[in-house]
């Protein structure tokens, strides 16, 4: 049976899917809670919470971002959605009706191994850091089964570099039978350091470089190089990664470049938003690597190796 550290910052609530409470564009990751109640929990808008729906077969869990506060019923949580199926997928419902559950300020389960998190369909946070490094941080916010292999890529880069000049932060989410993305994904621009204790310990470090590995479900065989780092450095990563996947038919492009990148990298995947967590971690801006499923499945290690080779000579060892 899952044993998770109990905290007081949780309360029972009535969860009401209601897209009319939110402005466009709608998101299946956003909710609105009573302002007084979340303040009593020590929370603010913009932070993440865990929503728990008890069932006869166990508790169904999902992460949300508190996108707004309301002054209506104290125990009512409104949940946004793009389509009613979004709520059905997340909570195992037959429709987008209201349900009783609990809102919890503790986002990640604690004291669980990867194997236990996988067995319990849980979400965990990891950090590898010496407490001093400010050269490079490599992150995978959507590891485990959320965006598969991205956590392995982050770890691979770290293994190829001196341990005193690289830190690794990642989250891993699992769901038996599939559906980890629907349960655990939080958009990178929404990630709050206040909701991730291990991330918060390195947030003010002002790393020289920050690299994020991501995955997308686009059928196209493609990789998008984004982030707010300089175009010249993006070009270095593009060249190295293109060489790593040469002959595979996988297209590699820079988000927003003049060489057709916009056809491969939609605007919301460019990774150059200043609120993107990878850009917030680095003084020089971050580098975001979006990869299709085939790229991660068949060339994950090769891509990570290419990334390590590009960044290694830029680090002060």
């Amino acid at each position: 049976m899952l044993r998770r550290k109990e905290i007081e910052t949780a309360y029972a609530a009535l969860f009401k899917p209601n897209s009319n409470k939110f402005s466009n564009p709608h998101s299946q990751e956003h909710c609105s809670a009573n302002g007084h109640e979340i303040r009593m929990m020590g929370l603010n808008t913009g932070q993440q919470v865990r929503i728990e729906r008890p069932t006869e077969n166990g508790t169904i869990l999902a992460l949300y971002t508190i996108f707004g506060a309301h002054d209506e019923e104290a125990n009512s949580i409104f949940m946004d959605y793009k389509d009613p199926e979004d709520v059905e997928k997340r909570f195992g419902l037959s429709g987008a009706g209201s349900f009783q559950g609990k809102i919890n300020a503790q986002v990640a389960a604690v004291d669980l191994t990867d194997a236990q998190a996988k067995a319990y369909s849980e979400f965990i946070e990891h950090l590898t850091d010496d407490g001093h490094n400010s050269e490079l941080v490599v992150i995978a916010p959507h590891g485990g089964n959320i965006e598969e292999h991205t956590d392995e890529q982050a770890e691979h880069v770290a293994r190829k570099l001196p341990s005193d000049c690289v830190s690794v932060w990642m989250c891993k989410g699992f769901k038996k039978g599939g559906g980890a993305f629907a349960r655990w994904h939080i958009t990178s621009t929404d990630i709050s350091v206040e909701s991730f204790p291990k991330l918060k310990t390195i947030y003010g470090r002002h790393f020289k470089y920050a690299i994020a590995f991501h995955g997308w479900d686009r059928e196209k065989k493609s990789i998008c190089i984004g982030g707010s780092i300089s175009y010249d450095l993006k070009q270095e990563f593009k060249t190295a990664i293109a060489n790593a996947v040469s002959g595979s038919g996988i297209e590699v492009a820079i988000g927003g470049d003049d060489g057709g990148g916009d056809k491969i990298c939609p605007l919301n995947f460019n990774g150059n938003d200043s609120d993107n967590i990878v850009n917030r971690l680095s003084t020089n801006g971050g580098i975001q690597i979006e990869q299709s499923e085939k790229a991660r499945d068949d060339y994950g290690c090769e891509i990570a190796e290419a990334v390590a080779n590009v960044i290694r000579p830029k680090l002060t060892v």
Side-chain angles (χ1 to χ4, degrees), residues 15 28-29 31 48-53 59-65 79 86-87 89-92 99 102-104 106-107 121-123 174-175 179-186:
F15 296 92
Q28 67 269 35
E29 302 174 5
C31 71
Q48 279 72 54
V49 290
R50 172 188 289 243
I51 290 178
E52 306 175 356
R53 174 181 175 251
T59 302
I60 296 177
L61 310 167
L63 297 188
Y64 275 77
T65 297
M79 299 186 299
D86 295 334
V87 183
K89 289 177 182 178
R90 283 202 154 194
F91 293 102
F99 63 89
K102 186 166 71 171
I103 182 171
N104 198 324
Q106 181 175 305
V107 170
S121 294
E122 261 291 359
F123 179 85
F174 302 93
K175 170 66 174 63
F181 183 95
R183 297 286 175 86
W184 302 119
H185 185 273
I186 292 294

Side-chain angles (χ1 to χ4, degrees), residues 64 71 96 127 179 214 255 275 282 294:
Y64 275 77
D71 58 2
L127 174 66
H214 287 275
D275 287 335
S282 173
K294 179 176 175 59

Side-chain angles (χ1 to χ4, degrees), residues 133-137 165-166 207-210 314-317:
N133 165 54
S134 61
E135 286 291 304
L136 169 68
V137 60
C165 67
V166 58
F207 292 91
K208 185 187 297 183
Y209 299 103
K314 304 181 188 308
L315 303 177
T316 302
V317 181

